Amino acid sequence: MTELFEKSIHTLELPRVLALLAEEACTQEGGEECRKMRPATYRSEVARLQSQTSAAFDLLVKNGTPPISAVRPVAAALQRADRGGSLNTRELLDIAQVLRCARNLREYGVGDREKKTVLDGYFESLSANRFLEEKITGSILAEDEIADSASPELADIRRHIRAAASKVRDVLNRLIASNQSKYLQENIITMRGGRYVVPVKSEHKNDVPGLVHDVSGSGGTFFIEPMGVVNANNELRELEMKEQKEIERILAELSAECAGFKESIEEDYRTLVALDCIFARGRLSSRMGGMEPALGDFVELRKARHPLLDPKTAVRNDLYLGQNFDTLVITGPNTGGKTVTLKTIGLLTLMAQCGLHIPASDGSTIKVCSAVLVDIGDEQSIDQSLSTFSSHMVNIVSILQQADDETLILFDELGAGTDPVEGAALAAAIIESARAMGAIVAATTHYAELKVYAMTTPGVENASCEFDVETLAPTYRVLIGIPGKSNAFAISRRLGLPDYIIQKAADRIDAENVRFEDVLSQLDIQRQAMEKEREEAARLRLEMENARNEAEQYRSRIEEERRKATEKAQAEARVIIQQARDAADSVFKELNEMRRRQEKAREWVDDNDQRAELRRQLNEAENNLGGAKEDLAPPPRTRDAVVGDIVELVKMGTQAEVLAVNKDGTLQLQAGILKMKARQDEVRVMEELTARKKQSTRDKKRSAAAAVQRPVRLAAAKAELDLRGMMSDEAVAAVDSFLDNALLGKLEVVTIIHGKGTGALRKAVRAHLKQSRYVKEFRPGVYGEGEDGVTVVTLK
């Protein structure tokens, strides 16, 4: 990378974007790697970096935040262990933290996913050495505490230490309880130099035989070890030295085991840092609303904004260069956004080549350049005797010496700082030279000669920064294809310059230039009027579409209510018929019973007559019930049905869909789960339902296509909550909100930081977690997590 390219990177403010990226990293070394990142210059390398960022973004959306904790560098400690050195507890706990993070991240990345990603190689390369991790954490409870279970010998020594200490205290307690207590300054047992002593009044120091270990500052108290506990203290001291030797042996043994896995632990650490950088790029993409650009031989930025501007106020613009034209000449008023436009093109190109997603809309394309060279800003130097024009020319000479067909060149105020006529001619010549080398160029200017040059030269296109003539303020919109005006007179008038001075200035302008500027003004006024009319037409079209949708919804509701009413009437009719049949069956049973009881023939005849009469009445009732439909005039016949039509069976009143038209002209229909045949004259086509079905099919296809093109981007949930400084009540509310977000973000393990302090906040949080329906279990943090100052929660 050349010095000029590095200078251009700083001019375009890429380091500020990389600083934002470093804030998203979890590890210190990961943040440093983010700040040192530089653009790749090969398309294959840029494509690999972009695919990594996209894969990380997808995993953040689907699986939540990866379990990358703040691991510390371990290379120096492992190197010393490999040479036979013994590591201290902090260094061993740092190694255990690397192993724990590697194991958790491997489980996060490999898991049970079916879809493979470009990050799978990183996840699979992590070695989960759980045996060594648990051996270290099981032996070392904290930086200053070794567990009794670290070795049987250590447990035995500490058991003897506790017994010896208890023996010493028993002897001293008997001394305090005896009549010698009157010689003591206080009835307490304390320690000096690692030995148990009692505080004796200075005037009675000879009344308590023993060894003097210390004297108070005032000289009024002597700390004496009575002769009765000297041997016990000696034994205790010997045991403590044995304990220290055993601890040193345990640390040396753990250090040797770590040295045996030196290469794999160092590789795990490097992989963790690499994945930290990749997921930092994914989080920055979510924070900026970025997208992965396509890679091509031209620049096309859709709805792009400068990444360092406030996204709520920044104006998004469509910018393209290198496809239909290779040079863009941007004109417009001062403070109108010309330089920001140049920086946006250059900075988004550099970001993409670093593997970062860019804040633009889908469909954007970036050209991978061997260098992005810029001349922006005033670099005049008194020490080097360089004026504004000279400093610009020094940069331009260097740019032209290094430019080739893979270079993007950005000129700000090209040709400024000297005679306008000579400056405009020089600017045109510089642009022509850069184009001859194959570079793509974007330049800003105020010179009318360059506007004419862009209008008359193939491959060169005008652009302008829009200026609202009514408010006399820039809108920061970039309009490609339209030359702009500097609007110096309008801006000066708004700033309070007297009109007579402005008029004198106007009188000095060449008539041809005046006409040219007037034409530009008229074109701009017409363009703004056309845009307002287009916006109004779009608004009216949207209102018509909304009205049509409301009408369709209203008609659908009416159709649904009518269908429900018909179904209800038919159901009631079926109930009435069934009731009539049940009544007839009951009567028949009663008549049969009567027939068995009657023995005479005359009675049998009467029974038969009654039965016939009853059956006739029932038939008449049923005919009257079903005859209401027959009295209605048959509906008019519609057109012949075709495949896909919705039809109604005239006799049954049932709707069905036409599946096929048979050779004999009959229709193959499907009504619900039933399939049937019918003739054309037995059905009528439901035109409205048919049209609605076809429209619904088209809408579903468009919705499906739009869903594929515009994937939903979700922000990742945080895995850590800091409650320090809160009262218990507000902390409990914050914990509830945090657990809700963690569940939505699909997090399994989260960390709540409450600090140690008095312990009141810790007790309140853990008491609340016991009652939470979201919590599966929780535990205090271990070393490297914050110990008892944090609570690690496992969610259901």
Side-chain angles (χ1 to χ4, degrees), residues 166-184:
S166 177
K167 180 179 177 181
V168 171
R169 284 194 296 271
D170 288 343
V171 173
L172 294 178
N173 282 329
R174 286 196 296 271
L175 173 65
I176 292 173
S178 68
N179 57 3
Q180 287 185 312
S181 62
K182 61 186 177 181
Y183 305 138
L184 303 181

Side-chain angles (χ1 to χ4, degrees), residues 370-606:
S370 61
V372 178
L373 306 178
V374 304
D375 176 47
I376 297 176
D378 187 358
E379 299 184 12
Q380 62 177 335
S381 172
I382 297 176
D383 295 337
Q384 300 178 15
S385 299
L386 293 177
S387 65
T388 299
F389 176 76
S390 301
S391 65
H392 280 295
M393 195 52 57
V394 169
N395 276 343
I396 292 171
V397 169
S398 299
I399 289 172
L400 294 178
Q401 289 174 348
Q402 299 180 25
D404 57 23
D405 59 350
E406 296 295 329
T407 305
L408 170 63
I409 301 177
L410 306 174
F411 294 121
D412 187 29
E413 301 293 350
L414 184 58
T418 186
D419 179 77
V421 176
E422 293 180 355
L426 194 57
I430 291 171
I431 291 176
E432 282 297 324
S433 299
R435 293 184 64 206
M437 298 174 186
I440 56 176
V441 181
T444 66
T445 183
H446 288 283
Y447 293 144
E449 290 86 348
L450 287 184
K451 303 175 190 177
V452 177
Y453 166 76
M455 294 174 66
T456 57
T457 306
V460 183
E461 186 62 81
N462 266 308
S464 61
C465 291
E466 188 181 49
F467 186 82
D468 192 332
V469 295
E470 295 182 359
T471 62
L472 296 179
T475 64
Y476 303 107
R477 290 182 56 200
V478 178
L479 308 172
I480 294 180
I482 300 175
K485 291 184 60 180
S486 296
N487 292 290
F489 290 171
I491 294 174
S492 299
R493 181 177 289 108
R494 187 186 64 171
L495 296 177
L497 190 67
D499 289 341
Y500 74 90
I501 297 178
I502 295 175
Q503 184 59 44
K504 288 181 179 180
D507 293 340
R508 292 176 176 270
I509 298 178
D510 181 75
E512 185 176 349
N513 288 335
V514 172
R515 287 194 297 271
F516 180 72
E517 292 293 327
D518 288 343
V519 169
L520 292 181
S521 298
Q522 292 299 323
L523 288 174
D524 190 55
I525 293 173
Q526 293 175 7
R527 179 193 56 77
Q528 293 186 21
M530 292 176 62
E531 286 191 356
K532 289 181 180 179
E533 292 177 358
R534 184 173 60 186
E535 292 175 357
E536 181 66 17
R539 185 185 64 79
L540 293 175
R541 183 171 64 252
L542 181 61
E543 290 180 356
M544 291 177 62
E545 290 178 356
N546 291 338
R548 186 184 65 183
N549 292 336
E550 291 177 359
E552 288 288 340
Q553 293 174 2
Y554 178 75
R555 184 169 63 181
S556 298
R557 289 197 301 269
I558 295 298
E559 290 288 344
E560 182 66 16
E561 291 174 359
R562 183 169 61 183
R563 183 184 62 79
K564 290 180 179 179
T566 302
E567 291 179 354
K568 181 178 179 182
Q570 292 176 348
E572 291 176 351
R574 286 192 293 270
V575 169
I576 294 173
I577 293 174
Q578 187 61 39
Q579 289 175 350
R581 291 187 183 279
D582 292 343
D585 290 341
S586 176
V587 172
F588 288 154
K589 289 180 181 179
E590 185 177 350
L591 291 175
N592 288 333
E593 184 66 26
M594 292 173 62
R595 183 183 62 186
R596 286 192 295 270
R597 293 198 301 265
Q598 292 176 350
E599 298 178 352
K600 296 181 180 180
R602 183 178 57 80
E603 291 176 351
W604 275 100
V605 173
D606 293 340

Side-chain angles (χ1 to χ4, degrees), residues 22 745 763:
K763 292 179 182 178

Side-chain angles (χ1 to χ4, degrees), residues 105-113 120 123-124:
L105 193 58
R106 178 183 173 88
E107 294 173 357
Y108 170 90
V110 177
D112 55 355
R113 293 184 294 108
D120 288 347
F123 294 127
E124 292 168 358

Side-chain angles (χ1 to χ4, degrees), residues 10-233:
H10 283 80
T11 301
L12 293 173
E13 300 180 286
L14 178 63
R16 288 184 60 190
V17 176
L18 297 181
L20 296 177
L21 176 64
E23 292 176 2
E24 301 295 337
C26 298
T27 65
Q28 179 179 353
E29 191 165 339
E32 294 173 356
E33 290 297 322
C34 289
R35 290 187 179 89
K36 292 189 294 185
M37 192 178 296
R38 285 299 178 266
T41 55
Y42 293 99
R43 182 178 294 190
S44 58
E45 178 66 10
V46 175
R48 183 181 68 84
L49 294 173
Q50 287 290 339
S51 62
Q52 288 177 352
T53 306
S54 296
F57 178 86
D58 292 339
L59 286 175
L60 286 168
V61 172
K62 295 175 183 177
N63 298 348
T65 303
I68 301 178
S69 57
V71 295
R72 296 188 179 96
V74 295
L78 290 171
Q79 186 70 22
R80 193 167 73 256
D82 190 47
R83 294 176 179 176
S86 179
L87 306 182
N88 57 39
T89 54
R90 181 185 60 78
E91 292 170 327
L92 288 168
L93 287 173
D94 288 343
I95 292 174
Q97 178 71 357
V98 170
L99 294 174
R100 181 190 301 112
C101 187
R103 174 174 55 83
N104 293 336
L105 193 58
R106 178 183 173 88
E107 294 173 357
Y108 170 90
V110 177
D112 55 355
R113 293 184 294 108
E114 297 179 358
K115 184 180 178 181
K116 300 297 182 182
T117 71
V118 295
L119 301 181
D120 288 347
Y122 287 95
F123 294 127
E124 292 168 358
S125 68
L126 293 169
S127 58
N129 193 340
R130 190 161 191 167
F131 171 77
L132 180 57
E133 172 200 338
E134 292 181 347
K135 186 170 184 179
I136 295 174
T137 55
S139 300
I140 305 175
L141 301 180
E143 190 172 341
D144 56 352
E145 183 179 2
I146 305 296
D148 292 353
S149 58
S151 74
E153 180 67 19
L154 182 62
D156 184 64
I157 292 172
R158 286 182 171 175
R159 185 167 58 253
H160 284 85
I161 287 176
R162 287 191 291 271
S166 177
K167 180 179 177 181
V168 171
R169 284 194 296 271
D170 288 343
V171 173
L172 294 178
N173 282 329
R174 286 196 296 271
L175 173 65
I176 292 173
S178 68
N179 57 3
Q180 287 185 312
S181 62
K182 61 186 177 181
Y183 305 138
L184 303 181
Q185 193 73 261
E186 291 182 83
N187 293 334
I188 60 171
I189 301 171
T190 184
M191 295 191 74
R192 287 295 185 276
R195 303 177 74 87
Y196 285 98
V197 297
V198 292
V200 179
K201 298 176 182 177
S202 59
E203 61 269 23
H204 297 293
K205 63 180 183 295
N206 295 322
D207 295 327
V208 180
L211 304 177
V212 177
H213 285 277
D214 196 8
V215 181
S216 67
S218 62
T221 304
F222 282 67
F223 295 93
I224 298 176
E225 178 186 2
M227 294 302 297
V229 297
V230 170
N231 290 334
N233 267 332

